[in-house]
């Protein structure tokens, strides 16, 4: 059993939230998962209304799979609402933790956005990714502070931009550390030669 999962089991007993993986923004994965699992775009609602108008015998295998996936997302949304609260059992806590550890939220995001929204998002991500590092840091922070009010497409954009921003900051930190090591080595060599 991994250290992270062991820590999650301890947190399940004592309260609080354990979050698997790297956190690249101030928006924790459980908050993102809850927002996206709870979201029902119009096209999904209409599709489910259509599928629910059919009897089970009339549904194709693919349609049954769609209905099951939809219902499963509703169940997960309810479980995420419980996650880390006093009413969350240890079993549910670990199910949610394991779900976050193994599932890819970006797949869910992509399935809930329209083609038009994804085209807009792509353009916006390209535009924002060209911003200087300092400006992007500010933009990401501002967007994170109002996450609950963001549209779903803006939430998706923030998710992707937060990852880009995180990677840039890690790269810059690594470069700074390497520069400092080189300066220290240079200084040490000069003091040895004096």
């Amino acid at each position: 059993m991994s250290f992270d999962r062991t820590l999650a089991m301890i947190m399940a007993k004592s309260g609080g939230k354990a979050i698997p993986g790297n956190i690249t923004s101030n928006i924790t994965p459980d908050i993102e998962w809850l927002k996206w699992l709870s979201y029902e775009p119009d096209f999904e609602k209409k599709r489910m209304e259509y599928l629910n108008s059919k009897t089970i015998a009339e549904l194709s295998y693919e349609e049954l799979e769609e209905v099951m996936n939809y219902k499963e997302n509703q169940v997960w949304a309810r479980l995420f609402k419980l996650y880390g609260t006093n009413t969350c059992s240890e079993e549910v806590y670990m199910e949610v933790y394991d779900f976050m550890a193994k599932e890819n939220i970006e797949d869910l995001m992509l399935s809930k956005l329209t083609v038009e929204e994804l085209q807009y998002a792509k353009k916006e991500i390209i535009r924002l990714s060209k911003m200087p590092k300092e400006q992007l840091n500010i933009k990401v922070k501002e967007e994170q502070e109002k996450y609950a009010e963001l549209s779903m497409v803006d939430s998706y954009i923030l998710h992707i931009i937060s990852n880009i921003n995180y990677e840039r900051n890690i790269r810059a930190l690594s470069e700074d550390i390497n520069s400092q090591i080189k300066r220290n080595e240079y200084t040490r060599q000069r003091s040895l030669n004096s």
Side-chain angles (χ1 to χ4, degrees), residues 15-122:
K17 293 180 182 178
I19 305 296
N22 290 335
I23 298 176
T24 60
S25 78
N26 291 339
I27 312 303
T28 56
D30 63 310
I31 304 278
E32 279 192 303
W33 274 108
L34 179 56
K35 183 171 186 168
W36 285 92
L37 287 165
S38 301
Y39 175 56
E40 295 179 356
D42 288 337
F43 69 85
E44 185 178 69
K45 287 178 191 173
K46 287 176 185 169
R47 179 71 175 157
M48 285 306 115
E49 285 172 12
Y50 167 72
L51 294 177
N52 287 332
S53 71
K54 292 177 146 187
T55 65
I56 291 179
E58 294 173 321
L59 293 172
S60 69
Y61 177 76
E62 290 80 14
E63 290 171 332
L64 275 171
E65 228 174 52
E66 274 184 76
V67 172
M68 288 174 45
N69 189 44
Y70 177 79
K71 298 284 185 196
E72 192 175 292
N73 283 349
Q74 289 179 321
V75 169
W76 281 113
R78 285 194 296 276
L79 294 179
F80 269 90
K81 285 178 186 171
L82 294 174
Y83 188 65
T85 66
N86 293 339
T87 57
C88 186
S89 70
E90 290 177 32
E91 181 182 345
V92 167
Y93 187 100
M94 292 310 298
E95 283 180 32
V96 171
Y97 177 87
D98 290 339
F99 180 87
M100 284 190 286
K102 72 177 173 114
E103 297 297 326
N104 183 345
I105 193 167
E106 289 176 15
D107 291 341
L108 178 64
M109 292 173 170
L110 294 173
S111 74
K112 298 222 176 216
L113 295 174
T114 64
V115 172
E116 294 80 16
E117 288 172 322
L118 289 170
Q119 289 171 340
Y120 167 76
K122 182 179 178 182

Side-chain angles (χ1 to χ4, degrees), residues 27 32 35-36 39 113 120 139-159 161-162:
I27 312 303
E32 279 192 303
K35 183 171 186 168
W36 285 92
Y39 175 56
L113 295 174
Y120 167 76
K139 175 72 172 166
V140 167
K141 185 178 180 197
E142 288 171 352
E143 295 295 300
Q144 288 172 347
E145 288 171 0
K146 58 182 181 180
Y147 182 74
E149 292 84 43
L150 291 180
S151 70
M152 298 312 285
V153 69
D154 288 335
S155 296
Y156 173 71
I157 292 166
L158 176 60
H159 176 85
I161 289 299
S162 292

